[in-house]
Amino acid sequence: MINYTEKIPNNVDLGRDRVLQARARALAARLHGWWYDMGPNESHNYEVYLRTAVSVEPDGWAQFDYVKMPDYRWGIFLQPRDEKREINFGAHKGQAAWQEVPGEYRSTLRRIIVTQGDTEPASVEQQRMLGASCPSMYDLRNIFQVNVEEGRHLWAMVYLLHRYFGRDGREEAESLLARRSGDTDNPRILGAFNEPTPDWLAFYMFTFFTDRDGKFQLCALAESGFDPLARTCRFMLTEEAHHMFVGETGVSRIIQRTCEVMKEHKLDDPSDGARPGGDRSSDDSEVLEFSLQRDSGIFTVRDVSLERRELFHQWTKGRFRETKLNDDHVLSEAEYPVFEVVGGKVVAKNVPALTALNERLRDDYIEEIADGVARWQRVIDNAGVPFRLTLPHKGFHREIGNFAGHFISPEGEVLSAEAWKKRESHWLPHSSGSCLRAVAYERTRGRSR
């Protein structure tokens, strides 16, 4: 018999819910089976110093101790309920937050939870081989911490599906553990989570960019009028910050080492030292361009979206920091600028703000990305290396939304297909790798565990 307080720390009264108890036994076995098959490769016998959440209290959400990876306790936690909480936006603004799923929004909420839940195990699957080539024990512990917390976030979404969505929810929860990242027949839902993460630079970029996208999505869902989802996402955000920290500081260390190598060998361009003989490869700006283009696309397929308008109107998904925005939170008359290609140029056009919620969320995301890139730039400037990191125009290499079918340079210039083709290999990383990747590989070889 499972001791639910010990095996599955929770604040959802799991020990008293006999129906969920029975399901939890099977789910725990399935989850650990998935972990053995698709979790960090060859990690099962390691004792790792990890942070484990055992409660939502300040002294409980971050308990540190050595634990073997298969014995990590994935808890189920929601932020404490605010009995007076109201819906803060959309058509139901001012009503009491919903504690059960309204029938008319059931399928929409289920799809959102499934999509969010699907990303959590996907990232673990993408990263499962990286422990075998970690640059240091510090990095190994960090990736294991990220992995176990992604597993806990999966468990949180599975709980919502089982608790609130009946048979359909149970079937969807099973599918979360059946899909596999990159699988031809049964891939993960979002394309970015089917891309390979072949090395540590890719991992750092993933945790800086893609996990930041996850932060913005969680922030939007934390505003949801469906209170259990909002409370779940708020607690998940306490752990997401570490994932982004791992990415930002990881890239920062590689940039620092790249600068040292450049100064040591008197190089002016980081791509000159990418491979023996100095043959041309992608540089760090190109990796930034690719990562931003890939991950900003996760905000859904359209810049102007009637579906996203409905999610807001239905109180299902708010904006980033919704309650701190200074407007009426209904947006029936408001406008917001979006960009499109007209007459061979990128131009701004005001559209109803309700249909531009995706674009606003993407703009908030890019603004925060720019702050992180500025911190990386300071590392380069302090090293005395005359090189600048730049973010591309939001239309660069976009295959979805208003810029689909157009060829946009990093500077925002609309190009012909021929002009794009001539510069494509210069702008996008390719199979030969980057200078940052080469330096990361050098560090891995020199400091292998």
Side-chain angles (χ1 to χ4, degrees):
M1 193 73 171
I2 295 177
N3 182 325
Y4 288 93
T5 302
E6 291 296 322
K7 188 69 174 178
I8 308 173
N10 70 91
N11 68 342
V12 296
D13 209 12
L14 190 59
R16 294 179 181 270
D17 192 326
R18 294 194 175 187
V19 174
L20 277 179
Q21 283 181 29
R23 295 173 186 168
R25 295 190 192 99
L27 282 169
R30 285 288 311 279
L31 182 62
H32 282 85
W34 164 78
W35 183 261
Y36 268 96
D37 292 341
M38 301 304 298
N41 192 48
E42 298 182 1
S43 66
H44 305 317
N45 295 320
Y46 295 159
E47 282 198 342
V48 186
Y49 193 67
L50 293 174
R51 179 180 64 236
T52 303
V54 298
S55 77
V56 297
E57 304 303 323
D59 61 348
W61 80 270
Q63 293 279 320
F64 289 88
D65 202 355
Y66 286 95
V67 59
K68 284 192 174 181
M69 295 290 280
D71 297 332
Y72 187 84
R73 295 182 297 163
W74 286 295
I76 302 171
F77 294 107
L78 285 67
Q79 287 285 64
R81 180 180 170 185
D82 178 0
E83 300 287 345
K84 298 181 180 180
R85 182 173 182 256
E86 296 180 347
I87 297 170
N88 295 308
F89 61 93
H92 299 284
K93 182 177 179 290
Q95 297 181 12
W98 295 81
Q99 302 305 319
E100 297 293 335
V101 180
E104 64 268 36
Y105 303 139
R106 185 182 185 85
S107 61
T108 299
L109 276 168
R110 186 181 65 237
R111 176 171 54 83
I112 287 173
I113 292 170
V114 168
T115 303
Q116 179 63 44
D118 192 72
T119 67
E120 314 295 352
S123 62
V124 176
E125 294 163 0
Q126 289 172 296
Q127 299 157 12
R128 68 183 304 263
M129 301 301 293
L130 293 183
S133 61
C134 60
S136 68
M137 290 300 294
Y138 171 79
D139 293 285
L140 182 64
R141 182 203 164 274
N142 274 337
I143 195 171
F144 283 173
Q145 185 72 60
V146 169
N147 289 163
V148 296
E149 288 177 352
E150 300 291 11
R152 200 202 69 73
H153 295 176
L154 164 66
W155 189 249
M157 295 295 108
V158 165
Y159 164 76
L160 291 177
L161 291 170
H162 274 263
R163 170 63 178 80
Y164 294 99
F165 291 91
R167 178 179 296 178
D168 289 347
R170 295 194 295 274
E171 292 174 354
E172 292 284 12
E174 291 289 322
S175 296
L176 291 177
L177 292 174
R179 287 187 283 270
R180 294 289 183 266
S181 176
D183 188 273
T184 303
D185 299 320
N186 198 13
R188 292 297 174 181
I189 294 172
L190 299 178
F193 292 88
N194 290 301
E195 297 285 343
T197 306
D199 53 47
W200 279 81
L201 175 62
F203 169 68
Y204 295 141
M205 288 292 186
F206 185 98
T207 47
F208 180 80
F209 284 96
T210 313
D211 280 320
R212 193 173 306 276
D213 168 85
K215 167 196 167 177
F216 276 76
Q217 299 293 349
L218 289 174
C219 283
L221 292 175
E223 303 286 351
S224 174
F226 178 44
D227 203 42
L229 174 60
R231 291 161 56 205
T232 298
C233 291
R234 287 195 201 104
F235 188 77
M236 291 167 68
L237 282 164
T238 64
E239 297 167 325
E240 201 72 28
H242 174 254
H243 305 185
M244 295 181 290
F245 168 83
V246 169
E248 179 171 336
T249 57
V251 174
S252 182
R253 285 184 290 140
I254 294 175
I255 290 174
Q256 178 68 48
R257 179 60 183 145
T258 301
C259 292
E260 293 170 359
V261 171
M262 290 176 65
K263 295 185 76 172
E264 180 182 351
H265 296 281
K266 296 181 173 58
L267 302 175
D268 294 325
D269 189 325
S271 62
D272 292 339
R275 301 179 67 79
D279 56 316
R280 181 69 175 89
S281 181
S282 308
D283 66 31
D284 34 8
S285 285
E286 292 157 22
V287 179
L288 284 176
E289 289 164 356
F290 174 76
S291 298
L292 180 65
Q293 168 271 325
R294 175 196 66 191
D295 296 314
S296 66
I298 299 174
F299 287 102
T300 75
V301 294
R302 297 185 184 277
D303 306 306
V304 176
S305 171
L306 297 180
E307 179 188 19
R308 184 66 174 88
R309 178 191 67 181
E310 288 305 305
L311 293 181
F312 185 88
H313 182 73
Q314 297 168 357
W315 58 259
T316 306
K317 186 176 182 181
R319 292 170 291 174
F320 181 58
R321 296 174 177 167
E322 177 72 46
T323 55
K324 296 183 179 180
L325 298 177
N326 187 24
D327 57 35
D328 65 3
H329 304 281
V330 178
L331 306 181
S332 56
E333 303 296 330
E335 293 185 333
Y336 191 81
V338 300
F339 291 84
E340 59 184 25
V341 177
V342 177
K345 294 184 177 180
V346 176
V347 298
K349 178 179 73 172
N350 285 334
V351 301
L354 279 171
T355 65
L357 293 167
N358 284 338
E359 186 70 355
R360 176 163 189 156
L361 192 61
R362 186 180 293 111
D363 287 344
D364 290 335
Y365 167 82
I366 292 173
E367 181 180 350
E368 190 167 295
I369 289 292
D371 290 340
V373 172
R375 290 189 288 273
W376 289 339
Q377 184 63 51
R378 285 198 290 271
V379 175
I380 298 173
D381 294 342
N382 291 338
V385 173
F387 185 83
R388 297 209 62 78
L389 297 174
T390 58
L391 289 176
H393 185 272
K394 66 171 63 179
F396 172 73
H397 202 229
R398 283 285 300 283
E399 298 175 353
I400 55 177
N402 290 351
F403 295 104
H406 297 285
F407 301 94
I408 312 295
S409 74
E411 293 76 25
E413 181 184 2
V414 181
L415 304 176
S416 66
E418 293 75 17
W420 167 270
K421 197 66 178 176
K422 290 180 181 178
R423 299 284 288 168
E424 181 180 14
S425 62
H426 180 73
W427 287 330
L428 293 175
H430 43 86
S431 59
S432 61
S434 69
C435 177
L436 288 179
R437 187 165 280 120
V439 173
Y441 179 63
E442 177 187 351
R443 292 180 70 247
T444 300
R445 293 175 62 195
R447 300 185 185 181
S448 172
R449 61 181 176 85

